[in-house]
Amino acid sequence: MSDSTVLVLGSDPPPKLDRLTGRARVRFTDEASLASRLPSADVLLVWDFTSDVVRRAWPEHGPRPRWVHTASAGVDRVLGPALIADDTVVTNARGIYEQPIAEYVAGLVIAMAKDFHGSWELQRQRRWQHRETLRLAGTRAVVVGSGPIGRAIGNTLKALGVAVELVGRRERTADPEFGRVHPTEALHGLLGPADWVICAAPLTGTTRGLFGRAEFARMKPTARFVNVGRGPLVVEEDLVAALRGWRIAAAALDVFEREPLPADSPLWDVPHLIVSPHMSGDTQGWRTALAEQFQDNFDRWAAGQPLRNVVDKRLGYVPVR
Amino acid sequence: MSDSTVLVLGSDPPPKLDRLTGRARVRFTDEASLASRLPSADVLLVWDFTSDVVRRAWPEHGPRPRWVHTASAGVDRVLGPALIADDTVVTNARGIYEQPIAEYVAGLVIAMAKDFHGSWELQRQRRWQHRETLRLAGTRAVVVGSGPIGRAIGNTLKALGVAVELVGRRERTADPEFGRVHPTEALHGLLGPADWVICAAPLTGTTRGLFGRAEFARMKPTARFVNVGRGPLVVEEDLVAALRGWRIAAAALDVFEREPLPADSPLWDVPHLIVSPHMSGDTQGWRTALAEQFQDNFDRWAAGQPLRNVVDKRLGYVPVR
């Protein structure tokens, strides 16, 4: 395997891949050169996972990498029809982002319950204005996404005394963590009583536009919505209409249809909408952890062992168990 | 007991004390009239617990209430030398504030770990600026205050994966919840490794000024400090100096030496200082819960049963077990 070529998409900052020294040729490529360099690569590491060039540039014929690893949890920007159809193995960064994202969502939920935003605005104005806020314990959340990220969010909210209903692609009635996992078709019925609706689903053909006008209409006026999955899971204009029409109380988006969010996007100043730049899972040391994770899998690949975090390319994510 | 008089300090908004109808004369008083009305009262309900008039007006001689209940957790504004010295029973609102305050502190800690403040400032500027933030799990907190509030905070942080050291007045080596509770004298040694220092102690003669120059100097430059106890536990000018001198990374104060914080206080715009108006424990329905709690204790008092939440007046709080 010492003559294998690992092609890395993205070079700023380049990952430290010390453990590949002497075992593989490591080459870096940008978006423009990817297509021409894929045929000579054995492994593709999608380090810049904000790019969707792999989806567009994957060849339908000829030599190509046998293994693609993306340093992200979601694989929607990697998986195009050609890659889905062939026998190249795709792996992802499962295990890196779960706990940070769960912490981030818990923080957003508490921040909205306790009106931190209001307090910080009042602080700017030097105004002492006491308010009564929401007690989190005893409230109800619906978490959409029954993979490791949704589960970490659900468990963290449960630890804070929130009653959690987990929604996944298909129903499970004896789930070891949550007892029951509801199927996506049950979502509408679950939205009514929810104080918190958290979207942490993978972006697939089925989940695109999962939250739109009909879903926001089913939420109660005091409900708050959070999206840490992928932007296109939400019909942004419907969310804006729901917020402007006071049909729901507040929302927080960490992901967007278009990223980076352009400076002239109307989303920046919708009332009661918290915007953050796709960073919920990115904690200090994450790049090192991602590089280590890839190299661990490279060790397995070099030894001919089965890879970890293998994506079911038809489903669009790594199935849980 | 139907001829007993319950004097209520504070009338805005007046508590609903329906269960006392026909069982007691309920009278309301403001600060100015308190001293003249105390001799004719059997019970004093300190509903406006922001006032320190009880401390000042409690009589050294003559008839006075045999029971004082304060709708607060802290009793520092009620307990003066005369009240400590006589045999009037003092009870507090233990049980109402713990969970809300713990949620609030957890939210502050996550908000600081994930730089929510920075994100919201960037949102105002319509700027997409990705940052790496802190993973909470695996960090270390020192929680000062081993009463129910400190314990609720400690348990909530533990549920988020934070390692918690609890500090109380005296050492306990077999604490059922925390294993070990450190004595106040051990505080200095604990501050060095702490990522989070949370002050939730009662204000007593021993704890006044507990956090000053020496304590902030012992914290690491990345440490964050939170005070949800009482303002005078912290030497505010020393905290400001620590923040301005970058000796600690950030702080959040919900309580202050002087409340309401005057509009011209320098505290409003100290860099990396989050100010909120003494509201960490005040969630929707809290006033009803406080009134119910007092009436439950009134039932016991009327029946000649021992009261709940009896304050050790020399210690200045309700001892845990």
Side-chain angles (χ1 to χ4, degrees):
Chain A
M1 282 290 168
S2 68
D3 58 348
S4 63
T5 298
V6 173
L7 184 64
V8 180
L9 172 64
S11 57
D12 181 33
K16 290 211 176 60
L17 302 175
D18 307 347
R19 286 157 59 193
L20 269 55
T21 309
R23 302 167 68 202
R25 286 179 298 270
V26 179
R27 301 284 179 264
F28 292 86
T29 181
D30 58 13
E31 288 196 334
S33 307
L34 182 77
S36 68
R37 310 204 45 186
L38 275 180
S40 59
D42 301 292
V43 178
L44 173 65
L45 168 57
V46 184
W47 187 251
D48 175 10
F49 52 76
T50 68
S51 167
D52 64 352
V53 67
V54 180
R55 189 182 168 92
R56 293 183 275 110
W58 197 259
E60 292 195 19
H61 312 284
R64 70 200 80 173
R66 304 300 309 269
W67 169 33
V68 175
H69 178 85
T70 176
S72 57
V75 292
D76 49 289
R77 285 171 178 144
V78 173
L79 283 182
L83 178 51
I84 292 174
D86 72 20
D87 57 0
T88 293
V89 175
V90 175
T91 57
N92 78 350
R94 178 175 169 162
I96 305 290
Y97 297 102
E98 290 78 352
Q99 185 59 30
I101 293 179
E103 295 171 356
Y104 198 92
V105 169
L108 284 173
V109 163
I110 304 179
M112 292 195 277
K114 308 298 181 185
D115 192 25
F116 283 178
H117 217 164
S119 290
W120 295 350
E121 182 56 35
L122 287 162
Q123 180 177 353
R124 293 174 71 93
Q125 303 170 15
R126 310 175 78 92
R127 285 171 59 201
W128 181 276
Q129 190 178 302
H130 179 275
R131 291 101 65 213
E132 295 177 2
T133 62
L134 198 65
R135 187 186 173 111
L136 203 61
T139 60
R140 304 164 72 139
V142 170
V143 177
V144 181
S146 62
I149 294 176
R151 286 169 183 271
I153 293 169
N155 284 324
T156 302
L157 292 178
K158 280 202 287 185
L160 291 165
V162 178
V164 174
E165 304 291 347
L166 199 66
V167 178
R169 191 177 58 92
R170 59 187 177 81
E171 183 166 27
R172 290 166 183 252
T173 51
D175 186 80
E177 284 183 307
F178 289 85
R180 185 171 178 187
V181 177
H182 303 272
T184 314
E185 305 80 60
L187 177 61
H188 276 202
L190 295 167
L191 292 175
D195 300 293
W196 315 100
V197 179
I198 316 292
C199 178
L203 178 60
T204 67
T206 350
T207 60
R208 185 173 292 269
L210 186 61
F211 286 95
R213 198 176 167 212
E215 289 68 33
F216 296 121
R218 283 179 179 271
M219 297 180 198
K220 54 186 183 184
T222 53
R224 272 95 164 183
F225 175 77
V226 174
N227 186 16
V228 289
R230 283 290 182 264
L233 294 161
V234 175
V235 183
E236 288 174 351
E237 62 186 43
D238 291 352
L239 174 61
V240 170
L243 287 167
R244 292 203 184 275
W246 294 87
R247 288 199 292 281
I248 67 171
L253 298 180
D254 188 53
V255 288
F256 301 86
E257 185 84 44
R258 195 172 149 203
E259 297 178 7
L261 193 63
D264 63 355
S265 166
L267 292 172
W268 288 110
D269 54 8
V270 176
H272 308 290
L273 176 59
I274 299 170
V275 167
S276 57
H278 200 150
M279 58 187 271
S280 71
D282 307 344
T283 48
Q284 289 164 23
W286 69 306
R287 292 182 180 274
T288 306
L290 287 167
E292 289 301 314
Q293 181 183 52
F294 169 71
Q295 290 174 101
D296 287 346
N297 237 354
F298 183 86
D299 288 345
R300 304 178 70 85
W301 190 73
Q305 294 167 349
L307 296 179
R308 293 219 167 105
N309 293 359
V310 174
V311 171
D312 180 321
K313 294 192 285 182
R314 307 250 161 224
L315 290 177
Y317 51 87
V318 180
V320 173
R321 274 168 295 265
Chain B
M1 286 290 169
S2 68
D3 58 348
S4 65
T5 297
V6 174
L7 183 64
V8 181
L9 172 64
S11 56
D12 181 33
K16 291 211 176 60
L17 302 175
D18 306 348
R19 286 156 60 193
L20 269 55
T21 309
R23 301 167 68 201
R25 285 181 299 271
V26 178
R27 301 283 179 265
F28 292 86
T29 182
D30 57 14
E31 289 196 335
S33 307
L34 181 77
S36 66
R37 307 198 55 180
L38 275 179
S40 58
D42 302 293
V43 178
L44 172 65
L45 168 58
V46 184
W47 187 252
D48 175 10
F49 53 76
T50 67
S51 166
D52 65 351
V53 65
V54 178
R55 187 182 169 92
R56 290 183 276 113
W58 196 260
E60 294 196 16
H61 312 284
R64 70 198 80 171
R66 305 300 308 271
W67 170 33
V68 174
H69 178 84
T70 176
S72 57
V75 293
D76 48 289
R77 285 169 177 146
V78 172
L79 285 182
L83 178 50
I84 292 173
D86 73 19
D87 57 2
T88 294
V89 175
V90 175
T91 58
N92 80 349
R94 178 177 168 160
I96 306 289
Y97 297 102
E98 289 80 351
Q99 185 59 30
I101 294 178
E103 294 172 356
Y104 198 93
V105 169
L108 285 174
V109 163
I110 303 179
M112 290 193 278
K114 308 298 180 183
D115 192 24
F116 284 178
H117 218 163
S119 290
W120 296 351
E121 182 57 34
L122 287 163
Q123 181 176 355
R124 295 173 70 94
Q125 303 171 13
R126 310 175 77 94
R127 283 171 59 202
W128 180 277
Q129 189 178 304
H130 179 275
R131 290 100 66 214
E132 294 178 4
T133 61
L134 199 65
R135 186 184 175 113
L136 203 60
T139 60
R140 304 166 72 140
V142 170
V143 177
V144 181
S146 63
I149 295 176
R151 284 168 184 271
I153 293 168
N155 283 324
T156 302
L157 293 179
K158 280 202 288 186
L160 292 166
V162 178
V164 175
E165 304 291 347
L166 199 67
V167 177
R169 190 178 58 91
R170 60 187 177 81
E171 183 166 29
R172 291 166 182 250
T173 50
D175 186 80
E177 285 184 305
F178 289 84
R180 183 168 178 190
V181 177
H182 304 271
T184 314
E185 304 80 59
L187 177 61
H188 275 202
L190 295 166
L191 291 175
D195 300 293
W196 315 100
V197 179
I198 317 292
C199 177
L203 178 61
T204 67
T206 350
T207 60
R208 184 173 294 270
L210 186 60
F211 286 94
R213 196 173 170 216
E215 289 69 32
F216 297 120
R218 283 178 179 269
M219 298 180 199
K220 53 186 182 183
T222 54
R224 273 94 164 183
F225 175 76
V226 175
N227 186 14
V228 289
R230 284 289 183 264
L233 293 161
V234 175
V235 183
E236 288 174 350
E237 62 185 43
D238 291 351
L239 174 61
V240 170
L243 287 167
R244 292 204 184 275
W246 294 87
R247 287 200 291 281
I248 66 171
L253 298 180
D254 188 53
V255 289
F256 301 87
E257 185 85 43
R258 192 170 152 205
E259 296 178 8
L261 193 64
D264 63 357
S265 166
L267 292 172
W268 288 109
D269 55 10
V270 176
H272 307 291
L273 176 60
I274 300 169
V275 167
S276 58
H278 201 151
M279 58 186 272
S280 71
D282 306 345
T283 49
Q284 288 164 26
W286 69 307
R287 291 183 179 276
T288 306
L290 287 167
E292 289 302 313
Q293 181 182 54
F294 169 71
Q295 291 173 100
D296 287 347
N297 238 354
F298 183 85
D299 288 346
R300 303 177 70 86
W301 190 73
Q305 295 166 350
L307 296 178
R308 293 218 166 107
N309 294 359
V310 173
V311 171
D312 181 321
K313 294 192 285 182
R314 305 253 161 220
L315 289 178
Y317 53 85
V318 180
V320 172
R321 277 169 294 266

